[in-house]
């Protein structure tokens, strides 16, 4: 936990066994991947992995406590056909079941019919993100880039992001299939196009440690 607090990331090699990775890939194969990231909501294929008895759920609990629950799951599938890039940013928005006016939460937006809101920074500091790699990721296949320690800065204004990345430095999240990385959800991160495009599927899961205030409810998975 000390390493995660200081650095903002922890490498979790062989978190999921190869047979389970293969089964998950087969279960997810029919999903329509016509965009860089596909939100998984109501997809039973991932439930066992993400719950408290699954490998991702158990890992999350070691970082944020036994109340850890998955609140967002996204499948990223970068390939020679979809070789996209994402600039440096923080994940600062959460999805909730319905809009309620609660102090400190806002602004609001609606994306694909889902209510999203920016929560207070304390909510984001209490979260952890786990990215499970379904394919091997090397330096030439667009590994996630992150700025170590940037999660401790708090909310970084957009115009200050380049300065903070330069100050913190840049590291890459290399992995084999079945490996995972745990990140402080607030860490600055980015993804470049692959220089040697190949398939790079990642299951990205955000975990929170408890309920939201004021009657707000996580949308969940």
């Amino acid at each position: 936990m000390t390493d995660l607090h200081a650095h903002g990331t922890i490498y979790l090699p062989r978190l999921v066994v190869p047979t389970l990775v293969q089964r998950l890939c087969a279960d997810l194969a029919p999903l329509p991947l016509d965009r860089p990231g596909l939100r998984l909501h109501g997809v039973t294929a991932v439930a066992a992995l993400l719950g408290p008895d699954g490998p991702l759920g158990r890992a999350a609990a070691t970082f944020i406590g036994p109340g850890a629950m998955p609140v967002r799951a996204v499948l990223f599938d970068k390939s020679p056909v979809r070789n996209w890039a994402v600039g440096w940013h923080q994940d600062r928005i959460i999805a909730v079941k319905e809009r309620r006016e609660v102090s400190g939460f806002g602004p609001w937006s609606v994306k694909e019919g889902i209510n999203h809101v920016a929560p207070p920074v304390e909510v984001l500091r209490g979260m952890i993100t786990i990215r499970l790699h379904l394919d091997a990721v090397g330096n030439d296949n667009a590994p996630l880039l992150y700025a170590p320690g940037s999660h401790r800065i708090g909310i970084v204004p957009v115009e200050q992001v380049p300065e903070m990345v330069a100050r913190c430095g840049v590291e890459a999240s290399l992995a084999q299939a079945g490996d995972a990385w745990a990140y402080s959800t607030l860490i600055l991160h980015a993804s470049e196009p692959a220089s040697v495009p190949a398939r790079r599927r990642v299951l990205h899961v955000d975990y929170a440690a408890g309920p939201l205030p004021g009657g707000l409810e996580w949308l969940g998975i």
Side-chain angles (χ1 to χ4, degrees), residues 112-165:
E112 300 179 11
I114 298 173
N115 288 297
H116 290 78
V117 65
V121 69
E122 290 77 14
V123 172
L124 299 170
R125 283 180 173 145
M127 296 175 65
I128 191 80
T129 296
I130 298 182
R131 287 170 58 93
L132 172 66
H133 290 267
L134 307 183
D135 301 291
V137 180
N139 279 311
D140 57 358
N141 193 22
L144 190 76
L145 305 176
Y146 64 91
S150 59
H151 63 294
R152 293 185 281 115
I153 300 169
I155 300 297
V156 180
V158 173
E159 65 274 10
Q160 295 179 19
V161 166
E163 174 190 347
M164 293 305 171
V165 171

Side-chain angles (χ1 to χ4, degrees), residues 96-102 105-110 114-117 214-217:
V96 297
K97 290 183 178 179
E98 63 179 24
R99 178 168 179 164
R100 290 175 179 265
E101 299 303 327
V102 178
F105 286 77
W108 287 83
S109 61
V110 178
I114 298 173
N115 288 297
H116 290 78
V117 65
L216 287 170
E217 295 182 76

Side-chain angles (χ1 to χ4, degrees), residues 1-214:
M1 185 64 182
T2 301
D3 291 341
L4 181 65
H5 175 73
H7 196 71
T9 67
I10 286 183
Y11 178 46
L12 305 171
R14 299 178 298 280
L15 183 66
V16 176
V17 297
T19 54
L20 192 51
V21 172
Q22 294 167 6
R23 188 186 316 158
L24 180 61
C25 289
D27 289 339
L28 296 177
L31 297 178
L33 287 167
D34 54 355
R35 66 193 74 178
L38 176 66
R39 183 176 182 118
L40 304 180
H41 186 61
V43 178
T44 56
V46 302
L49 281 173
L50 309 188
D53 296 323
L56 272 70
R58 290 194 299 269
T62 65
F63 300 120
I64 59 174
M69 55 185 176
V71 295
R72 183 177 73 131
V74 181
L75 177 63
F76 293 106
D77 187 358
K78 189 172 287 192
S79 70
V81 177
R82 294 179 296 273
N83 190 19
W84 35 268
V86 178
W88 286 97
H89 68 286
Q90 293 173 298
D91 290 340
R92 296 169 16 182
I93 305 298
I94 62 172
V96 297
K97 290 183 178 179
E98 63 179 24
R99 178 168 179 164
R100 290 175 179 265
E101 299 303 327
V102 178
S103 177
F105 286 77
W108 287 83
S109 61
V110 178
K111 303 174 184 177
E112 300 179 11
I114 298 173
N115 288 297
H116 290 78
V117 65
V121 69
E122 290 77 14
V123 172
L124 299 170
R125 283 180 173 145
M127 296 175 65
I128 191 80
T129 296
I130 298 182
R131 287 170 58 93
L132 172 66
H133 290 267
L134 307 183
D135 301 291
V137 180
N139 279 311
D140 57 358
N141 193 22
L144 190 76
L145 305 176
Y146 64 91
S150 59
H151 63 294
R152 293 185 281 115
I153 300 169
I155 300 297
V156 180
V158 173
E159 65 274 10
Q160 295 179 19
V161 166
E163 174 190 347
M164 293 305 171
V165 171
R167 179 185 302 178
C168 295
V170 176
E171 296 186 16
S173 305
L174 308 183
Q176 296 296 316
D179 296 350
W181 282 79
Y183 305 84
S184 173
T185 298
L186 265 177
I187 201 163
L188 283 164
H189 59 284
S191 178
E192 297 177 346
S195 57
V196 182
R199 199 159 196 194
R200 191 218 70 176
R201 289 165 293 182
V202 176
L203 180 61
H204 170 119
V205 188
D206 293 333
Y207 283 86
L212 295 168

